[in-house]
Amino acid sequence: MHYSDYKWSNYAPNDPHINGKPDETSFNREEGNEVVYLINKLMILWDYRFSNTGNKMEKLIHDKLPADISEQKDVLVWVKENLKF
């Protein structure tokens, strides 16, 4: 992870914040486990294989994700629309 200002809470292994497919589950950009989960899931879904793509996603989410985007599925759409290579 590029940034060090995340909170790192404990989650149950089956918690939808860190498991399953991105859906209507709330997303907290300040929670490291949720950011890692979503980046990893998007890397798999979109078949991205370069670690720098994950770094770009993290920076995009951390620095530019609008405050009104608060569900995993909406973060997915926003990242896809805003990720530039």
Side-chain angles (χ1 to χ4, degrees), residues 16-73:
H17 289 98
I18 59 163
N19 191 20
K21 66 177 189 163
D23 57 16
E24 293 82 17
T25 302
S26 64
F27 177 76
N28 180 354
R29 76 171 92 208
E30 297 175 356
E31 177 57 56
N33 290 308
E34 292 187 35
V35 174
V36 168
Y37 153 75
L38 197 59
I39 290 171
N40 287 339
K41 186 59 75 172
L42 298 181
M43 294 285 288
I44 292 167
L45 284 172
W46 298 333
D47 198 29
Y48 291 145
R49 296 190 174 132
F50 299 105
S51 62
N52 67 332
T53 303
N55 294 337
K56 287 179 183 182
M57 286 184 197
E58 180 193 6
K59 290 177 184 179
L60 192 61
I61 291 168
H62 187 277
D63 296 341
K64 298 185 178 180
L65 182 69
D68 64 331
I69 296 180
S70 60
E71 292 183 352
Q72 293 173 348
K73 65 179 179 59

Side-chain angles (χ1 to χ4, degrees), residues 67-85:
D68 64 331
I69 296 180
S70 60
E71 292 183 352
Q72 293 173 348
K73 65 179 179 59
D74 296 331
V75 176
L76 180 150
V77 170
W78 185 85
V79 168
K80 187 71 169 175
E81 291 173 352
N82 291 277
L83 187 62
K84 308 288 185 235
F85 291 99

